[in-house]
Amino acid sequence: MKTTFETVIGLEIHVQLNTKSKAFCRDTNIFGLAPNSQVGPVSLAHPGTLPYPNKEQVFSAIKLGLAIDCQINSTSTFDRKNYFYADLPKGYQITQDQTPICIGGQIPIRIGNHTKLIQIHHIHMEEDAGKSIHDKLQGHSLIDLNRAGTPLLEIVTEPDLRSGEEVDALMSAVRQLVRYLDISDGNMEQGSMRCDCNISIRPTGSTTLGNRCEVKNLNSMRFAKKAIEYEVNRQIALTLEGKTIHQQTLNFNPSTGQTTPIRTKEDAHDYRYFPEPDIPPMVVSKSKINELKASLPQMPWVYEQAFLSYGLSQKDSILLAQDLDIAEYFEAFVSSYGQAIAFANLLINQIRPTLTGKILDYPISQEHLAHFLELINHKTINKSLAIKQLLPKMLEQPKLSPKELVKEFSTTRENNSEQLTEIISSIIAAHPDKVKAYQNGKKGLIGFFMGEVMKQTRGQADPALAKEGLLNLLG
Ligand code: ADP
Ligand code: MG
């Protein structure tokens, strides 16, 4: 019998926080500024400088932990992770090794139409290194230390993921979550989120873990999926040849689509972790933790469930829960005015596509939007006309109620339909052959006539009215 294999993946996800200043000093924490312009003595590791923790980083970590049901360590400690690299001025990173701030927890991900819970091992705080640039100046490496000391959270999962698709779903869930919590922009392209993928395989049905390889620093989901696919195939091929998979740290090369070893287990780094002597154990009070808990928004998966329960499709529920401001706005509307499905359609198809700023700055009030939907419901105005003509009027004069605007509107609509009848009559008179063909059964010609009406009205005619008129006059 042919052996089949199961893929096993655990992630270490780095999230760059959007705090004003760096993790252990006052240097600004902004992406994209002139190289080496945000580097004070602490970032440069001048002798005698002292780090002090950034409380925004600590609060961000606790918020994320509370959002996914971690246990929060009210006392946590910092450690030094020592290694030598040119973009690491101190020669070590400050991280949390022994007692990280958050333990356990889980993140729900959506696979097709079921939900899977990914268990989290822990979340710890740390700082980023600087950035080495190897491709700008031939024969030289450039170093930008702006990123040195940037505050990070590292989310370490249990080996619960089974495919590139699940990895993708988890990264999207984390990005959505950190945006809901407003602790990071979650932008993978700018490096605000990256992950290390630990990958192993095992015979299907086995419950022991195989030897894993770790692909470092994946900063796009497309690359992560390719790296996983390549690595799984490589490991399966080795296993089928009867060879052992050696634990390795790998790089993914996007141009070849292959992974290549950086180092093997034998020459793995010994980071010589030890407690950071310059930062005493950090204690966060119960009341502060409770205060942070009370400040959390409702989670995206809770919104999604609520929207489903209002009768929305899964696709629309997901779409409306995507961003917190839209989810809150939609929820507020439904709790005041009901009409969930009609409002979801209006929001998704008409309001959101034309939005230039925040939804809260949308000029038309929710009350007026509710009246607008009522007018359609009560057939005071035809739906497509309401959307094409009444809604733009409401946008022009957001202070006026649609109930007022529709009055002025229905008179112009009558004028329009008289005009429209005139236009249709003249088109019919100008094409006697086509009219005859239509009446003899070539019903597809309705498209031609509609086209003519649209041409003559420069696209202004309401399609429903135009069609009605044409059908009447063509008999
Ligand atoms: P280390 O401390 O050596 O980095 P950890 O046990 O902390 O190793 O694991 C780091 C990451 O690797 C975690 O996300 C974990 O889920 C994952 N992992 C551990 N063993 C395996 C394995 N055999 N296959 C896939 N992923 C694994
Ligand atoms: Mg580890």
Side-chain angles (χ1 to χ4, degrees):
M1 206 178 73
K2 201 163 160 266
T3 324
T4 57
F5 293 93
E6 178 181 49
T7 304
V8 176
I9 305 169
L11 294 189
E12 294 159 272
I13 305 169
H14 293 91
V15 177
Q16 200 174 87
L17 298 175
N18 60 6
T19 57
K20 280 193 207 70
S21 50
K22 290 189 182 177
F24 300 105
C25 70
R26 283 206 193 93
D27 291 347
T28 43
N29 173 36
I30 301 178
F31 175 83
L33 298 179
N36 297 308
S37 60
Q38 313 303 314
V39 285
V42 174
S43 292
L44 291 171
H46 282 197
T49 56
L50 285 173
Y52 45 92
N54 178 340
K55 65 175 190 284
E56 290 306 323
Q57 178 174 23
V58 180
F59 296 161
S60 299
I62 294 175
K63 281 202 251 179
L64 180 59
L66 290 169
I68 60 169
D69 280 337
C70 299
Q71 180 196 315
I72 309 298
N73 273 329
S74 52
T75 303
S76 72
T77 55
F78 289 98
D79 299 278
R80 286 189 184 179
K81 176 180 181 178
N82 300 278
Y83 63 97
F84 175 78
Y85 202 75
D87 61 21
L88 186 70
K90 289 202 290 275
Y92 60 85
Q93 272 174 295
I94 303 179
T95 181
Q96 297 194 292
D97 183 48
Q98 290 301 314
T99 321
I101 185 129
C102 306
I103 306 284
Q106 65 276 318
I107 302 178
I109 61 169
R110 208 178 324 93
I111 300 297
N113 40 25
H114 74 274
T115 298
K116 174 171 174 176
L117 286 181
I118 303 301
Q119 299 300 321
I120 303 306
H121 184 270
H122 75 267
I123 305 172
H124 68 254
M125 297 183 276
E126 61 181 28
E127 60 175 333
D128 211 344
K131 193 169 181 181
S132 303
I133 300 147
H134 304 294
D135 55 3
K136 280 263 164 71
L137 188 60
Q138 229 204 335
H140 297 267
S141 284
L142 301 174
I143 290 179
D144 178 4
L145 291 177
N146 284 353
R147 203 179 67 181
T150 292
L152 302 178
L153 297 183
E154 181 172 331
I155 305 168
V156 181
T157 77
E158 296 292 353
D160 279 357
L161 299 147
R162 295 291 173 269
S163 64
E165 191 199 356
E166 293 191 4
V167 169
D168 193 351
L170 179 62
M171 291 299 281
S172 303
V174 171
R175 181 177 54 203
Q176 182 183 34
L177 187 56
V178 299
R179 288 180 180 171
Y180 256 65
L181 298 172
D182 193 21
I183 59 174
S184 168
D185 63 24
N187 201 330
M188 274 192 107
E189 302 77 63
Q190 296 184 355
S192 308
M193 262 178 58
R194 324 187 274 278
C195 70
D196 303 339
C197 265
N198 295 271
I199 304 163
S200 66
I201 57 159
R202 63 185 173 193
T204 309
S206 159
T207 52
T208 50
L209 290 172
N211 280 347
R212 72 183 148 115
C213 292
E214 178 177 5
V215 188
K216 281 283 187 198
N217 264 326
L218 292 160
N219 64 356
S220 102
M221 274 333 300
R222 201 161 56 86
F223 293 165
K225 282 180 166 168
K226 282 193 170 162
I228 291 164
E229 186 185 326
Y230 179 83
E231 190 51 27
V232 166
N233 287 333
R234 186 185 72 86
Q235 293 185 16
I236 290 177
L238 279 174
T239 307
L240 290 176
E241 284 170 34
K243 294 184 177 145
T244 322
I245 290 153
H246 296 288
Q247 188 170 328
Q248 277 180 328
T249 305
L250 307 162
N251 257 338
F252 175 70
N253 183 340
S255 53
T256 61
Q258 298 180 345
T259 60
T260 46
I262 312 174
R263 52 184 179 261
T264 58
K265 191 181 181 184
E266 287 65 45
D267 49 36
H269 274 137
D270 174 4
Y271 291 117
R272 293 169 289 123
Y273 284 102
F274 65 85
E276 166 60 63
D278 289 336
I279 307 177
M282 191 185 52
V283 182
V284 184
S285 69
K286 263 263 157 341
S287 67
K288 186 67 206 181
I289 295 175
N290 287 336
E291 182 192 320
L292 290 167
K293 188 164 198 166
S295 78
L296 294 183
Q298 183 162 288
M299 291 300 119
W301 48 88
V302 179
Y303 274 120
E304 273 171 30
Q305 281 308 316
F307 298 168
L308 278 172
S309 76
Y310 301 157
L312 267 60
S313 68
Q314 174 169 306
K315 181 163 160 270
D316 289 350
S317 303
I318 292 169
L319 197 65
L320 291 179
Q322 187 59 43
D323 299 307
L324 178 62
D325 55 349
I326 297 268
E328 285 180 337
Y329 177 84
F330 179 67
E331 177 71 28
F333 184 95
V334 175
S335 66
S336 305
Y337 307 105
Q339 310 191 76
I341 296 176
F343 189 61
N345 288 334
L346 187 68
L347 187 52
I348 292 171
N349 299 318
Q350 312 305 329
I351 299 181
R352 228 167 140 248
T354 62
L355 219 52
T356 48
K358 293 247 165 246
I359 185 70
L360 284 177
D361 300 331
Y362 190 64
I364 307 174
S365 68
Q366 291 205 337
E367 189 189 358
H368 283 177
L369 290 171
H371 292 164
F372 173 81
L373 291 180
E374 270 166 36
L375 290 171
I376 297 174
N377 250 345
H378 297 156
K379 303 215 160 38
T380 313
I381 183 170
N382 140 311
K383 184 176 168 194
S384 87
L385 213 57
I387 286 170
K388 289 228 179 67
Q389 302 195 19
L390 180 55
L391 195 59
K393 277 213 160 92
M394 291 164 69
L395 273 170
E396 273 168 33
Q397 306 179 72
K399 292 245 157 57
L400 295 185
S401 152
K403 292 183 175 167
E404 283 303 308
L405 287 167
V406 80
K407 283 184 202 154
E408 144 198 1
F409 189 80
S410 48
T411 56
T412 63
R413 187 175 72 132
E414 275 162 23
N415 290 341
N416 275 350
S417 71
E418 260 167 46
Q419 266 180 342
L420 200 59
T421 312
E422 237 168 72
I423 291 169
I424 292 173
S425 305
S426 73
I427 290 170
I428 286 180
H431 298 280
D433 302 356
K434 294 231 163 58
V435 173
K436 196 169 271 164
Y438 175 87
Q439 284 161 348
N440 286 336
K442 272 191 91 177
K443 299 293 180 208
L445 280 169
I446 191 76
F448 163 79
F449 288 114
M450 280 292 282
E452 287 300 301
V453 175
M454 287 303 163
K455 226 186 278 171
Q456 300 225 3
T457 59
R458 285 191 223 90
Q460 296 301 304
D462 175 61
L465 289 181
K467 189 157 184 198
E468 202 180 295
L470 275 168
L471 292 176
N472 269 341
L473 292 180
L474 284 167

Short mmCIF file of all heavy atoms in Angstrom, two decimals, residues 339-366:
data_model
loop_
_atom_site.label_atom_id
_atom_site.label_comp_id
_atom_site.label_asym_id
_atom_site.label_seq_id
_atom_site.Cartn_x
_atom_site.Cartn_y
_atom_site.Cartn_z
N GLN A 339 -33.93 45.60 9.36
CA GLN A 339 -33.68 45.58 7.90
C GLN A 339 -32.26 45.13 7.54
O GLN A 339 -31.62 45.70 6.65
CB GLN A 339 -33.91 46.95 7.28
CG GLN A 339 -35.25 47.58 7.68
CD GLN A 339 -35.55 48.81 6.86
OE1 GLN A 339 -35.93 48.70 5.71
NE2 GLN A 339 -35.34 49.97 7.43
N ALA A 340 -31.77 44.10 8.26
CA ALA A 340 -30.37 43.70 8.13
C ALA A 340 -29.98 43.38 6.69
O ALA A 340 -28.95 43.87 6.20
CB ALA A 340 -30.08 42.50 9.03
N ILE A 341 -30.78 42.57 6.02
CA ILE A 341 -30.37 42.13 4.68
C ILE A 341 -30.38 43.28 3.69
O ILE A 341 -29.44 43.48 2.93
CB ILE A 341 -31.23 40.95 4.21
CG1 ILE A 341 -31.00 39.76 5.15
CG2 ILE A 341 -30.92 40.57 2.77
CD1 ILE A 341 -31.85 38.55 4.87
N ALA A 342 -31.46 44.08 3.73
CA ALA A 342 -31.55 45.21 2.81
C ALA A 342 -30.41 46.19 3.06
O ALA A 342 -29.79 46.71 2.12
CB ALA A 342 -32.90 45.92 2.97
N PHE A 343 -30.11 46.44 4.34
CA PHE A 343 -29.04 47.40 4.63
C PHE A 343 -27.68 46.83 4.27
O PHE A 343 -26.81 47.56 3.79
CB PHE A 343 -29.08 47.83 6.10
CG PHE A 343 -28.14 48.97 6.36
CD1 PHE A 343 -28.29 50.19 5.70
CD2 PHE A 343 -27.06 48.83 7.23
CE1 PHE A 343 -27.40 51.24 5.91
CE2 PHE A 343 -26.17 49.88 7.45
CZ PHE A 343 -26.35 51.09 6.79
N ALA A 344 -27.49 45.52 4.48
CA ALA A 344 -26.22 44.90 4.09
C ALA A 344 -25.99 45.10 2.59
O ALA A 344 -24.88 45.47 2.17
CB ALA A 344 -26.22 43.42 4.44
N ASN A 345 -27.04 44.88 1.79
CA ASN A 345 -26.89 45.06 0.34
C ASN A 345 -26.54 46.50 -0.02
O ASN A 345 -25.69 46.76 -0.86
CB ASN A 345 -28.17 44.64 -0.39
CG ASN A 345 -28.33 43.13 -0.36
OD1 ASN A 345 -27.34 42.40 -0.27
ND2 ASN A 345 -29.56 42.66 -0.41
N LEU A 346 -27.23 47.44 0.64
CA LEU A 346 -26.97 48.84 0.36
C LEU A 346 -25.53 49.20 0.74
O LEU A 346 -24.80 49.87 -0.01
CB LEU A 346 -27.96 49.70 1.17
CG LEU A 346 -27.94 51.19 0.88
CD1 LEU A 346 -28.48 51.47 -0.52
CD2 LEU A 346 -28.78 51.95 1.93
N LEU A 347 -25.12 48.73 1.90
CA LEU A 347 -23.78 49.04 2.40
C LEU A 347 -22.70 48.43 1.51
O LEU A 347 -21.73 49.08 1.14
CB LEU A 347 -23.67 48.51 3.84
CG LEU A 347 -22.42 48.83 4.65
CD1 LEU A 347 -22.15 50.31 4.66
CD2 LEU A 347 -22.58 48.32 6.10
N ILE A 348 -22.90 47.17 1.14
CA ILE A 348 -21.88 46.48 0.36
C ILE A 348 -21.83 47.00 -1.08
O ILE A 348 -20.76 47.25 -1.63
CB ILE A 348 -22.13 44.95 0.37
CG1 ILE A 348 -21.89 44.40 1.77
CG2 ILE A 348 -21.23 44.25 -0.66
CD1 ILE A 348 -22.31 42.94 1.94
N ASN A 349 -23.01 47.18 -1.68
CA ASN A 349 -23.01 47.49 -3.13
C ASN A 349 -22.99 48.97 -3.45
O ASN A 349 -22.48 49.37 -4.48
CB ASN A 349 -24.24 46.86 -3.79
CG ASN A 349 -24.23 45.35 -3.64
OD1 ASN A 349 -23.18 44.72 -3.79
ND2 ASN A 349 -25.37 44.77 -3.32
N GLN A 350 -23.57 49.81 -2.57
CA GLN A 350 -23.65 51.24 -2.90
C GLN A 350 -22.73 52.10 -2.04
O GLN A 350 -22.04 52.97 -2.56
CB GLN A 350 -25.10 51.76 -2.76
CG GLN A 350 -26.14 50.90 -3.43
CD GLN A 350 -25.86 50.67 -4.91
OE1 GLN A 350 -25.28 51.51 -5.59
NE2 GLN A 350 -26.25 49.50 -5.42
N ILE A 351 -22.75 51.88 -0.73
CA ILE A 351 -22.05 52.82 0.14
C ILE A 351 -20.54 52.56 0.16
O ILE A 351 -19.74 53.45 -0.09
CB ILE A 351 -22.63 52.76 1.57
CG1 ILE A 351 -24.11 53.16 1.53
CG2 ILE A 351 -21.83 53.67 2.51
CD1 ILE A 351 -24.81 53.17 2.85
N ARG A 352 -20.17 51.29 0.42
CA ARG A 352 -18.75 50.99 0.60
C ARG A 352 -17.91 51.30 -0.64
O ARG A 352 -16.83 51.87 -0.52
CB ARG A 352 -18.58 49.54 1.02
CG ARG A 352 -17.65 49.39 2.20
CD ARG A 352 -17.76 47.99 2.78
NE ARG A 352 -16.45 47.49 3.16
CZ ARG A 352 -15.84 46.50 2.55
NH1 ARG A 352 -16.40 45.90 1.52
NH2 ARG A 352 -14.65 46.12 2.95
N PRO A 353 -18.40 50.94 -1.85
CA PRO A 353 -17.56 51.19 -3.04
C PRO A 353 -17.29 52.68 -3.28
O PRO A 353 -16.32 53.02 -3.95
CB PRO A 353 -18.38 50.60 -4.19
CG PRO A 353 -19.35 49.66 -3.56
CD PRO A 353 -19.63 50.20 -2.20
N THR A 354 -18.17 53.56 -2.76
CA THR A 354 -17.97 54.98 -3.06
C THR A 354 -17.31 55.72 -1.89
O THR A 354 -17.10 56.92 -1.95
CB THR A 354 -19.32 55.68 -3.33
OG1 THR A 354 -20.13 55.57 -2.14
CG2 THR A 354 -20.05 55.03 -4.49
N LEU A 355 -17.03 54.98 -0.84
CA LEU A 355 -16.48 55.59 0.36
C LEU A 355 -15.06 56.10 0.11
O LEU A 355 -14.22 55.37 -0.38
CB LEU A 355 -16.44 54.51 1.45
CG LEU A 355 -16.78 54.87 2.87
CD1 LEU A 355 -18.13 55.57 2.93
CD2 LEU A 355 -16.83 53.60 3.71
N THR A 356 -14.82 57.38 0.44
CA THR A 356 -13.46 57.87 0.26
C THR A 356 -12.71 57.92 1.59
O THR A 356 -11.50 57.80 1.64
CB THR A 356 -13.45 59.27 -0.38
OG1 THR A 356 -14.39 60.06 0.33
CG2 THR A 356 -13.82 59.19 -1.84
N GLY A 357 -13.46 58.10 2.68
CA GLY A 357 -12.81 58.13 4.00
C GLY A 357 -13.40 57.06 4.89
O GLY A 357 -13.72 55.97 4.44
N LYS A 358 -13.56 57.41 6.14
CA LYS A 358 -14.13 56.48 7.14
C LYS A 358 -15.64 56.41 6.98
O LYS A 358 -16.28 57.40 6.65
CB LYS A 358 -13.80 56.99 8.55
CG LYS A 358 -12.31 56.93 8.86
CD LYS A 358 -12.07 55.91 9.95
CE LYS A 358 -10.63 55.53 10.09
NZ LYS A 358 -10.29 54.18 9.77
N ILE A 359 -16.20 55.26 7.32
CA ILE A 359 -17.66 55.08 7.25
C ILE A 359 -18.37 56.06 8.18
O ILE A 359 -19.45 56.56 7.87
CB ILE A 359 -18.07 53.62 7.55
CG1 ILE A 359 -19.57 53.41 7.35
CG2 ILE A 359 -17.70 53.19 8.96
CD1 ILE A 359 -20.03 53.46 5.93
N LEU A 360 -17.74 56.40 9.31
CA LEU A 360 -18.40 57.31 10.25
C LEU A 360 -18.53 58.72 9.67
O LEU A 360 -19.34 59.51 10.14
CB LEU A 360 -17.64 57.34 11.58
CG LEU A 360 -17.87 56.10 12.45
CD1 LEU A 360 -17.04 56.17 13.72
CD2 LEU A 360 -19.36 55.94 12.79
N ASP A 361 -17.74 59.02 8.65
CA ASP A 361 -17.84 60.33 8.00
C ASP A 361 -18.81 60.32 6.82
O ASP A 361 -18.93 61.31 6.10
CB ASP A 361 -16.46 60.80 7.51
CG ASP A 361 -15.47 60.92 8.65
OD1 ASP A 361 -15.93 61.20 9.78
OD2 ASP A 361 -14.27 60.73 8.43
N TYR A 362 -19.47 59.19 6.58
CA TYR A 362 -20.44 59.14 5.47
C TYR A 362 -21.51 60.20 5.72
O TYR A 362 -22.07 60.28 6.81
CB TYR A 362 -21.06 57.74 5.40
CG TYR A 362 -21.88 57.51 4.15
CD1 TYR A 362 -21.29 57.52 2.89
CD2 TYR A 362 -23.25 57.29 4.23
CE1 TYR A 362 -22.04 57.31 1.75
CE2 TYR A 362 -24.01 57.06 3.09
CZ TYR A 362 -23.40 57.08 1.85
OH TYR A 362 -24.14 56.87 0.72
N PRO A 363 -21.78 61.05 4.73
CA PRO A 363 -22.63 62.21 4.98
C PRO A 363 -24.08 61.90 5.36
O PRO A 363 -24.71 62.67 6.07
CB PRO A 363 -22.59 62.99 3.66
CG PRO A 363 -21.64 62.30 2.77
CD PRO A 363 -21.23 61.01 3.37
N ILE A 364 -24.62 60.78 4.89
CA ILE A 364 -26.04 60.51 5.16
C ILE A 364 -26.17 59.77 6.49
O ILE A 364 -25.47 58.80 6.73
CB ILE A 364 -26.66 59.65 4.03
CG1 ILE A 364 -26.41 60.31 2.67
CG2 ILE A 364 -28.14 59.45 4.27
CD1 ILE A 364 -26.86 59.47 1.50
N SER A 365 -27.09 60.25 7.34
CA SER A 365 -27.26 59.63 8.66
C SER A 365 -27.92 58.26 8.52
O SER A 365 -28.59 57.98 7.53
CB SER A 365 -28.14 60.51 9.54
OG SER A 365 -29.46 60.51 9.03
N GLN A 366 -27.73 57.44 9.56
CA GLN A 366 -28.37 56.12 9.54
C GLN A 366 -29.89 56.25 9.52
O GLN A 366 -30.58 55.46 8.91
CB GLN A 366 -27.90 55.31 10.75
CG GLN A 366 -26.43 54.91 10.66
CD GLN A 366 -26.09 53.67 11.47
OE1 GLN A 366 -26.78 53.33 12.42
NE2 GLN A 366 -25.03 52.99 11.09
#
